[in-house]
Amino acid sequence: MIQAVIFDLDGVLVDTAHYHFLAWQRLAKELGIHFTEQENEQLKGVSRMRSLEIILEMGNLQLSLDEMNKLAEKKNKWFVQYINKIKPDEIFPGVKELIQRIRESKIKVALASSSKNANTVLDLLHIKNIFDALVDGTMITHTKPDPEIFLLAAKKLNVLPSQCLVYEDAEAGVDAALAAGMKCVGVGSPNTLRSAHFVVAATPEFTLEKIKSIV
Ligand code: B16
Ligand code: MG
């Protein structure tokens, strides 16, 4: 029986994944590297630095750590500019209601995002207080696909990993949930998320009734 549900943020609760893409694409363009939305799938869920490494590898570029830090900072500045315009109604339709129904049925709810900007996004969406626990990129050493982030969320909720269900839009996130020994709902395309236990096109499609039917 599922005792806790853990939500990823970018791409599961709100479309910040698109803003990450726009900021990385802008940086890639400056560096003369061609970078498509398809290639962006590899960046979802992984850390800022790892994302930059992947883009530099695509362009066969080798830079010093100092130069890389400056580029990562630049991308983050753009990303923060984009997300500062987020309004509370940008939360995906039906998501808030789903979280409320889960909580009413006494199942715990946590947020686990690799992003160091997760707190800002939660504030802008006015949803910080609907979670029993929060874990973000500032609290972990190893980013997804490492299971650390989800194991920490389970620990904070005081539940066993096997009693948790994770909602994830990233391949790296699905791998992290499975490595943590949790059940996983992939939100997005069955092609990219084929290792998840279930795949839906949008977060609320995996309803409370479906959560309760997991044995
Ligand atoms: P930041 P999630 C992840 O958030 C994003 O999917 C990923 O694209 C991003 O690189 C990562 O956060 C770090 O974000 O640069 O804001 O610290 O999907 O785990 O909620
Ligand atoms: Mg995500």
Side-chain angles (χ1 to χ4, degrees):
M1 276 268 285
I2 296 301
Q3 302 289 329
V5 177
I6 306 174
F7 289 94
D8 169 52
L9 177 63
D10 295 331
V12 167
L13 303 186
V14 62
D15 196 11
T16 35
H18 186 63
Y19 296 124
H20 277 296
F21 168 63
L22 290 180
W24 282 126
Q25 195 184 44
R26 189 168 165 185
L27 190 81
K29 203 173 169 196
E30 266 197 16
L31 296 167
I33 300 170
H34 185 67
F35 178 63
T36 64
E37 202 146 12
Q38 183 59 41
E39 287 161 336
N40 184 59
E41 286 299 318
Q42 298 169 52
L43 273 54
K44 286 188 179 173
V46 306
S47 71
R48 199 178 303 165
M49 258 316 189
R50 182 62 202 132
S51 301
L52 178 59
E53 281 169 10
I54 295 171
I55 290 180
L56 295 178
E57 280 162 20
M58 283 172 190
N60 269 323
L61 262 186
Q62 283 193 342
L63 300 176
S64 69
L65 191 60
D66 189 45
E67 285 168 311
M68 284 175 68
N69 279 328
K70 281 186 186 139
L71 291 178
E73 229 172 81
K74 196 174 194 178
K75 178 266 169 181
N76 192 54
K77 253 188 203 158
W78 289 330
F79 176 71
V80 171
Q81 275 171 17
Y82 298 149
I83 62 168
N84 269 325
K85 295 184 194 115
I86 289 177
K87 297 278 176 290
D89 65 0
E90 278 182 59
I91 187 165
F92 287 138
V95 164
K96 221 170 159 180
E97 293 76 7
L98 172 67
I99 295 177
Q100 271 153 4
R101 288 195 71 207
I102 295 172
R103 293 197 55 162
E104 279 161 18
S105 67
K106 304 283 177 254
I107 295 172
K108 293 177 183 171
V109 180
L111 180 107
S113 167
S114 305
S115 176
K116 292 183 173 155
N117 295 295
N119 260 299
T120 309
V121 177
L122 294 178
D123 278 339
L124 288 161
L125 293 174
H126 300 174
I127 55 167
K128 213 180 208 167
N129 56 1
I130 63 174
F131 299 98
D132 298 298
L134 298 176
V135 185
D136 69 17
T138 65
M139 303 174 190
I140 50 164
T141 316
H142 306 289
T143 190
K144 300 165 188 175
D146 190 283
E148 182 183 357
I149 193 162
F150 294 128
L151 293 175
L152 182 57
K155 199 175 164 193
K156 283 189 164 208
L157 293 172
N158 205 18
V159 292
L160 293 171
S162 59
Q163 298 171 322
C164 296
L165 173 70
V166 173
Y167 284 66
E168 255 296 343
D169 71 315
E171 214 179 328
V174 172
D175 291 345
L178 299 186
M182 300 178 177
K183 291 276 188 309
C184 186
V185 181
V187 180
S189 151
N191 293 329
T192 5
L193 306 171
R194 70 176 69 86
S195 31
H197 295 93
F198 316 93
V199 180
V200 289
T203 306
E205 283 178 25
F206 203 84
T207 58
L208 176 64
E209 287 67 33
K210 286 184 184 163
I211 296 171
K212 284 185 169 171
S213 72
I214 298 173
V215 282

